């Protein structure tokens, strides 16, 4: 991964850097590695995939004009979640002071009131754009800022308030009229977006929006059964449609309700299932094929969260880790066994050095590692 001229980057991982906030060497030097990725991405205005619908011959604004806060990192949603990753890395406390200051400066330069007002106006003028994937990452970014122990980072949540107001209105309007969810392994997957939205809205105290997401989840997915787990993989997925749905329902149902729902939804899942098996990438320069690195990582994180809820249900709703081991061959045991192999396979994508991987995969690696760490703390 090349550095942009004149832009300071975080130091390369070395033995001086802490191993990171995750257990058992799961993601070595995670903070330093991810900070370097974020700094590189935020300094790269091109290549950029704008996804902008031009309405006239005069509509010739460049990406940086349309998106002064999120006009780097190849596309808008990747720029948004690179900012989320940067905030998460800062919050880990694992960076050396110089790297932390570089990262703080880069994030703060974008997350200003003025730049974010332009982003909010663009979202309002283009009400189906980035639905729901980009919306979810934006609200998640705001939530991460809002719960920070750092006063400056919390001020970025205030700056993001107009964007969140806009997205909240768009989400509620969409859910009010959408009869059917989108079920595939790409950005417009409904369950994946709703899962992050419901959590972030809860964190931000936006209870009406969270309730709308919960109601849609139940309406769309509560009666699902017999998911075709062996059929769902396609060549450019970065999401498991089935596990995205399970991850959402784990946030909406009680642990007991969820365990019963999962038994109906994935009745024949077993070790070696295609849904639980790592996949490889044959061409690191192909932007769609490298989605499969992300598939390994998202599956890993989703499985960790599902297992955590199943474990909580066996422990009577607590998370004290004191419950006995699950029965061999039980859904919890089968799913738990797949978590780390999937993560390890997906992490290889961060080492490719190709921008088609580096502009997005680090966010998904950090997210999965957080969930695995919560499941199996050091």
């Amino acid at each position: 991964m090349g550095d942009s001229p004149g832009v300071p980057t975080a130091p390369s991982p070395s033995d001086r850097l802490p191993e990171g906030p995750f257990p058992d060497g799961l993601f070595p030097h995670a903070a330093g590695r991810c900070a370097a990725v974020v700094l590189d991405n935020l300094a790269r205005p091109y290549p950029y995939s704008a996804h902008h619908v031009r309405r006239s011959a005069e509509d010739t604004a460049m990406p940086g004009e349309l998106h002064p806060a999120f006009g780097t990192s190849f596309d808008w949603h990747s720029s948004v979640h690179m900012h989320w990753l940067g905030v998460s890395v800062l919050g880990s406390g694992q960076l050396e002071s110089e790297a932390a200051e570089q990262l703080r400066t880069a994030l703060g330069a974008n997350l200003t009131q003025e730049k974010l007002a332009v982003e909010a106006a663009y979202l309002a003028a283009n009400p189906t754009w980035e639905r729901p994937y980009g919306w979810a990452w934006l609200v998640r970014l705001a939530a991460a800022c809002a719960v920070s122990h750092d006063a400056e980072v919390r001020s970025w949540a205030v700056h993001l308030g107009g964007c969140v107001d806009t997205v909240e209105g768009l989400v509620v309007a969409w859910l009010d009229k959408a009869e059917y969810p989108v079920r595939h392994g790409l950005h417009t997957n409904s369950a994946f977006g709703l899962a992050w939205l419901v959590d972030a809205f809860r964190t931000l105290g936006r209870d009406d929006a969270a309730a709308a997401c919960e109601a849609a989840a139940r309406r769309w997915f509560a009666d699902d059964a017999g998911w075709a787990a062996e059929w769902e993989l396609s060549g450019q997925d970065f999401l498991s449609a089935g596990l995205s749905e399970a991850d959402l329902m784990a946030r909406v149902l009680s642990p007991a309700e969820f365990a019963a729902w999962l038994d109906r939804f994935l009745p024949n899942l077993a070790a070696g299932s295609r849904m639980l098996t790592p996949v490889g990438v044959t061409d690191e320069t192909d932007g769609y094929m490298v989605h499969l690195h992300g598939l390994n990582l998202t599956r890993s994180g989703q499985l960790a969260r599902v297992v955590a809820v199943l474990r909580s249900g066996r422990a009577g709703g607590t998370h004290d880790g004191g419950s006995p081991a699950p029965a061999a061959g039980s859904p919890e045991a089968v799913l738990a066994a797949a978590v780390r192999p999937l993560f390890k396979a997906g992490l290889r994508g961060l080492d490719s050095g190709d921008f088609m991987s580096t502009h997005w995969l680090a966010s998904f690696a950090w997210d999965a590692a957080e969930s695995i760490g919560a499941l199996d703390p050091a």
Side-chain angles (χ1 to χ4, degrees), residues 347-360:
L347 204 59
R348 296 189 191 109
L350 271 69
D351 297 325
S352 74
D354 193 276
F355 189 56
M356 286 297 98
S357 291
T358 60
H359 82 267
W360 66 286

Side-chain angles (χ1 to χ4, degrees), residues 34-35 37-39 41-42 48 51 69-90 103 107 110-111 116 119 129-130 132-142 144-145 160 187 192 196 238-239 291 294 297-298 350 355-368 370:
C34 289
V37 169
V38 172
L39 286 166
N41 274 282
L42 298 192
Y48 193 83
H51 308 295
F70 304 123
T72 59
S73 310
F74 187 72
D75 52 26
W76 190 86
H77 52 252
S78 297
S79 185
V80 172
H81 70 66
M82 277 292 135
H83 286 77
W84 169 85
L85 177 60
V87 168
S88 299
V89 171
L90 276 180
L103 186 56
L107 294 168
N110 289 336
L111 298 177
L116 292 167
E119 301 286 0
W129 186 73
E130 288 284 354
Y133 181 80
W135 296 354
W137 276 117
L138 185 64
V139 182
R140 195 178 184 201
L141 168 61
C145 292
L160 283 157
H187 305 80
F192 183 83
W196 292 133
F238 69 94
L239 302 171
H291 277 181
L297 292 172
T298 56
L350 271 69
F355 189 56
M356 286 297 98
S357 291
T358 60
H359 82 267
W360 66 286
L361 277 176
S363 299
F364 287 84
W366 188 279
D367 172 73
E370 282 190 328

